[in-house]
Amino acid sequence: MIRFRAARREDVGRIVALLADDPLGAARETADPESYLTAFDRMAEAPGLFLIVGEIGGRVVATYQLAILPGLSLRAATRALVEAVRVDSALRSQGIGAALMADAEARARAAGASLIQLTTHRSRERAHRFYERLGFTASHIGYKRSLD
Amino acid sequence: MIRFRAARREDVGRIVALLADDPLGAARETADPESYLTAFDRMAEAPGLFLIVGEIGGRVVATYQLAILPGLSLRAATRALVEAVRVDSALRSQGIGAALMADAEARARAAGASLIQLTTHRSRERAHRFYERLGFTASHIGYKRSLD
């Protein structure tokens, strides 16, 4: 069975490999290894940010990030934002994604969140069906702009 | 001219009035005042979370929230997430929204972010045109699910 836990610094290389093992990620995850370790350290210092891995038999096969965001809107709701979800491409359609989202939901509830939100690229049609099966509503448009 | 600054606890009532002064917000912002103050205190304790107000002549006329989110994906990019953007409905189309987003961008850059992102409801067509004019790309679908 898959077990989810907080990522450790020695997991970073494997997490980046999972991020890159993806049609959109392959072209993107080309930074030097040191910059990923620096980002890991920044995340570890941020109290509301969690980098999680899922492992089966000691091997990391899935990852996601979770941010806990208190705010005033939606009746002072605390939101949980999920980012950077990846499951090993050799292990798709085995329920790992659903287990991952159940883990994210449990951590979000434990942190007091009343809403879970995420964005996914318009081109990820399998992901759209996946999130809709899990009860998510595609109510919003996600806008991004580079600051480089 | 409009001046942006960190919100203070005594601004919370006015911020909630701005959040409610909106076709979607009107039905939502009905919690008791104390819960908004509690959320303000939680935000104030979170190092990467900023609640900002814009004031003209001492009156708060705009608000937004900004979260600074380090992460591993996108070459270890730090993201800036904008939420809960509101401009006083009596002062629309005067450039306040653009000034607000310029302030958000400046704070995001100062915090080391290389990407700014936000979601907006599918029904907010004026907002879609506004963000597209500012150079944002509608590349993603925003999914939400209540945990209540």
Side-chain angles (χ1 to χ4, degrees):
Chain A
M1 259 312 295
I2 191 158
R3 193 180 70 96
F4 291 92
R5 61 168 171 81
R8 296 186 288 259
R9 208 164 191 271
E10 59 265 34
D11 297 318
V12 168
R14 175 68 183 142
I15 294 169
V16 174
L18 286 171
L19 293 173
D21 177 23
D22 175 89
L24 295 176
R28 291 192 309 216
E29 301 308 340
T30 57
D32 72 293
E34 199 58 39
S35 65
Y36 291 106
L37 291 170
T38 303
F40 176 87
D41 294 340
R42 275 199 296 263
M43 293 186 76
E45 285 165 13
L49 271 183
F50 304 94
L51 176 62
I52 307 295
V53 292
E55 59 183 8
I56 297 179
R59 178 168 170 77
V60 169
V61 299
T63 181
Y64 72 96
Q65 299 175 16
L66 186 71
I68 303 299
L69 302 168
L72 295 196
S73 58
L74 296 175
R75 298 180 189 142
T78 292
R79 298 160 189 257
L81 172 70
V82 174
E83 291 268 6
V85 173
R86 289 291 189 288
V87 173
D88 188 324
S89 58
L91 300 173
R92 298 268 167 81
S93 306
Q94 299 182 24
I96 294 175
L100 183 156
M101 290 305 298
D103 186 77
E105 179 179 329
R107 290 178 200 267
R109 285 183 191 274
S114 58
L115 178 77
I116 190 162
Q117 65 184 45
L118 57 92
T119 69
T120 185
H121 197 276
R122 282 186 183 280
S123 68
R124 296 191 191 275
E125 293 181 13
R126 281 173 56 128
H128 305 166
R129 292 193 296 272
F130 169 71
Y131 292 118
E132 284 159 21
R133 274 201 307 277
L134 292 181
F136 282 82
T137 304
S139 53
H140 284 61
I141 298 177
Y143 286 91
K144 296 190 193 263
R145 185 157 71 84
S146 170
L147 295 178
D148 292 336
Chain B
M1 260 313 295
I2 191 158
R3 191 180 71 96
F4 291 92
R5 62 166 172 81
R8 296 186 287 259
R9 209 165 191 270
E10 59 263 34
D11 297 318
V12 168
R14 175 66 183 143
I15 294 168
V16 175
L18 286 171
L19 293 173
D21 176 22
D22 174 89
L24 294 177
R28 292 191 308 214
E29 302 308 339
T30 56
D32 73 292
E34 199 58 39
S35 65
Y36 290 106
L37 291 170
T38 303
F40 176 87
D41 294 340
R42 275 199 297 262
M43 293 187 75
E45 285 164 14
L49 271 183
F50 304 95
L51 177 62
I52 307 295
V53 293
E55 59 182 10
I56 297 179
R59 177 168 170 77
V60 169
V61 298
T63 181
Y64 72 97
Q65 298 176 16
L66 186 70
I68 304 299
L69 302 168
L72 295 196
S73 60
L74 297 175
R75 298 180 189 138
T78 293
R79 299 159 188 258
L81 172 70
V82 175
E83 290 268 6
V85 173
R86 290 292 189 287
V87 172
D88 188 324
S89 58
L91 299 173
R92 297 268 167 82
S93 306
Q94 299 183 24
I96 293 175
L100 182 156
M101 290 304 298
D103 185 77
E105 179 178 329
R107 290 178 201 267
R109 285 183 191 276
S114 58
L115 178 77
I116 192 162
Q117 65 185 45
L118 57 90
T119 68
T120 185
H121 197 276
R122 283 185 182 278
S123 68
R124 297 191 190 275
E125 293 183 11
R126 280 174 57 129
H128 304 166
R129 292 194 295 273
F130 169 71
Y131 291 118
E132 284 159 21
R133 274 201 308 278
L134 292 180
F136 282 82
T137 305
S139 53
H140 283 60
I141 298 177
Y143 287 90
K144 295 189 196 261
R145 185 156 72 84
S146 171
L147 295 178
D148 291 340

